[in-house]
């Protein structure tokens, strides 16, 4: 037995030194195996040559069976690998799908959405065809943009006049240390396009102002407002109501956040019904003044993205006429019902 194994090792090593291919060396080992098996079968039991080559044909048959199984497994594995590589090459060379059809790569990317009964293929197509404007690329806008891009919302607009600062990075996770000093809208665009090359990102590096609000909001289907500026909130609400666009609104401070969907076209109150006048100076301090827990904007911004997906796909029950309040310090959530103001200067019948 040891003699045969030694001969096999010598054939393999000598063949390698002489430059013989792996297939040629395997053929030589196969020939050696056949010769040994013939010796075991042809010669009588107890023959010296039979003894030095193993002494039992059953032993060599079992060994040959294991080797054959190994070779078959290697062959199957090679074919599976070749098929997988061919599939990858086909996907890499894939022509982008047309406007009405998702590519195979998109179907694979959104597979976990498509298997959801409430979304499915039709819901994912609605997301793909939707246009969402996010006002503010800060604490709330950052996670909302990331998840909307990952979810496959076809066109994402983001408007913000600020630049990335070191103090933002504790909570605005769409930005990175390397992009400090870059306008937030371009930093967010870089992250979203890296996350999902199938979405279109439109950055607007400027402040939301009355002279552009109507034309800009008219381009989009759903608006998300995550700013901490009261005047901007009132402006976005007023234009969204006038154009019949649903407005997903989020806010936070310290340990608490809130989310609501304002859509008076569907019978809900608007933002100004809830906050008729701006808070007095000092009554609603900013995050810079009051502080904010780093992960809290991620929780609330992700909730805003969820509400936007539900509104676009018509899934479940969005927070229409309701406000969800999340208290991170005590791990509590509660919902309150919002009432429309009959004399609201924005959404009432008189208005």
């Amino acid at each position: 037995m040891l003699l045969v194994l030694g001969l096999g090792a010598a054939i393999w090593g000598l063949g390698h030194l002489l430059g013989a291919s792996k297939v040629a060396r395997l053929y030589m080992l196969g020939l050696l195996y056949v010769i040994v098996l013939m010796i075991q079968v042809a010669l009588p039991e107890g023959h010296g040559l039979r003894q030095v080559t193993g002494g039992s044909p059953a032993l060599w048959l079992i060994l040959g069976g294991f080797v054959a199984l190994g070779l078959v497994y290697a062959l199957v594995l090679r074919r599976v690998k070749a098929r997988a590589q061919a599939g990858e090459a086909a996907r890499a060379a894939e022509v982008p799908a047309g406007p009405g059809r998702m590519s195979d790569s998109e179907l694979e990317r959104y597979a976990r959405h498509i298997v959801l009964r409430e979304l499915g293929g039709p819901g994912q197509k609605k997301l793909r065809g939707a246009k969402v404007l996010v006002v503010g690329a800060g604490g709330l806008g950052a996670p909302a943009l990331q998840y909307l891009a990952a979810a496959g919302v076809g066109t994402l607009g983001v408007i913000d006049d600020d630049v990335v600062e070191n103090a933002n990075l504790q909570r605005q996770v769409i930005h990175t240390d390397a992009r400090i000093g870059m306008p937030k809208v371009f930093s967010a665009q870089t992250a979203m396009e890296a996350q999902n090359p199938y979405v279109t990102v439109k950055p607007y590096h400027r402040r939301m102002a009355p002279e552009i609000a109507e034309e800009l909001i008219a381009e989009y289907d759903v608006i998300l407002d995550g700013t901490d500026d009261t005047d901007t909130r009132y402006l976005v609400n007023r234009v969204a109501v006038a154009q019949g666009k649903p407005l997903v609104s989020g806010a936070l401070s310290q340990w608490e956040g809130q989310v609501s969907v304002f859509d008076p076209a569907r019978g809900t109150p608007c933002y100004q019904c809830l906050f008729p006048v701006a808070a007095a100076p000092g009554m609603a301090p900013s995050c810079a003044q009051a502080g904010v827990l780093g992960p809290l904007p991620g929780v609330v911004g992700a909730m805003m993205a969820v509400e936007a997906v539900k509104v676009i796909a018509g899934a479940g029950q969005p927070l229409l006429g309701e406000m969800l309040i999340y208290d991170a310090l005590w791990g509590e959530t509660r919902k309150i019902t919002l009432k429309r103001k009959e004399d609201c200067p924005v959404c009432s019948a008189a208005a």
Side-chain angles (χ1 to χ4, degrees):
M1 182 74 168
L2 292 176
L3 175 64
V4 176
L5 293 177
L7 285 172
I11 290 172
W12 189 266
L14 186 61
H16 178 72
L17 291 175
L18 295 175
S21 67
K22 185 180 292 186
V23 174
R25 284 178 281 162
L26 286 173
Y27 276 127
M28 292 299 294
L29 290 178
L31 180 60
L32 175 64
Y33 174 78
V34 171
I35 292 172
V36 170
L37 194 58
M38 289 177 63
I39 290 172
Q40 294 296 319
V41 173
L43 296 177
E45 189 174 351
H47 192 283
L49 190 55
R50 181 171 173 176
Q51 291 297 113
V52 296
T53 55
S56 171
L59 179 64
W60 287 107
L61 288 172
I62 293 171
L63 181 61
F66 278 119
V67 172
L69 285 174
L71 292 173
V72 169
Y73 174 76
L75 181 62
V76 171
L77 192 62
R78 181 181 297 178
R79 288 186 177 180
V80 170
K81 186 176 180 180
R83 186 176 298 177
Q85 289 174 339
E88 289 295 329
R91 280 194 289 272
E94 183 182 62
V95 177
R101 187 182 72 86
M102 285 189 283
S103 67
D104 291 342
S105 182
E106 286 177 284
L107 290 172
E108 182 181 6
R109 179 180 291 256
Y110 307 129
R112 272 63 174 179
H113 270 180
I114 293 170
V115 298
L116 288 174
R117 179 172 54 85
E118 296 83 0
L119 278 178
Q124 191 61 47
K125 285 185 177 180
K126 289 179 181 178
L127 291 175
R128 188 174 186 258
K131 297 181 178 181
V132 175
L133 176 66
V134 178
V135 183
L140 292 173
L145 286 165
Q146 282 182 306
Y147 275 105
L148 290 172
V153 173
T155 302
L156 285 163
V158 52
I159 180 168
D160 196 308
D161 67 341
D162 205 358
V163 299
V164 179
E165 299 177 0
N166 188 36
N168 301 146
L169 303 182
Q170 164 252 13
R171 63 199 178 280
Q172 299 177 20
V173 294
I174 203 169
H175 309 301
T176 65
D177 187 79
R179 297 201 289 269
I180 291 175
M182 180 186 291
K184 286 184 178 180
V185 292
F186 299 133
S187 173
Q189 179 185 23
T190 299
M192 286 186 283
E193 290 177 346
Q195 164 69 26
N196 190 349
Y198 299 105
V199 301
T200 299
V201 181
K202 294 184 176 182
Y204 306 97
H205 182 217
R206 60 177 302 175
R207 191 176 186 83
M208 177 68 84
E211 59 268 20
I212 66 166
E214 291 186 11
E215 184 177 355
L216 181 58
I217 289 176
E219 293 183 28
Y220 293 89
D221 307 311
V222 179
I223 316 301
L224 272 69
D225 184 3
T227 63
D228 57 3
D229 179 75
T230 304
D231 291 339
T232 301
R233 284 185 175 273
Y234 283 131
L235 170 63
V236 171
N237 175 71
R238 186 166 61 250
V239 176
V241 170
Q243 296 186 7
K245 303 291 177 72
L247 172 64
V248 181
S249 179
L252 46 82
S253 179
Q254 296 184 326
W255 293 85
E256 188 173 280
Q258 60 192 42
V259 185
S260 188
V261 179
F262 300 111
D263 192 2
R266 296 172 65 178
T268 78
C270 74
Y271 178 82
Q272 199 153 339
C273 289
L274 192 60
F275 302 103
V277 295
M283 293 301 293
S286 66
C287 292
Q289 297 167 322
V292 62
L293 176 69
L296 179 63
V299 175
V300 179
M303 288 180 178
M304 294 171 68
V306 169
E307 293 304 308
V309 168
K310 287 157 60 179
V311 169
I312 294 166
Q317 178 58 56
L319 291 169
L320 293 163
E322 295 179 312
M323 176 179 287
L324 177 65
I325 301 172
Y326 172 62
D327 186 335
L329 187 60
W330 298 103
E332 296 177 345
T333 59
R334 59 188 184 275
K335 281 205 298 187
I336 60 175
T337 301
L338 308 178
K339 298 295 184 182
R340 197 166 182 175
K341 286 179 63 69
E342 297 299 328
D343 60 345
C344 176
V346 174
C347 70
S348 67

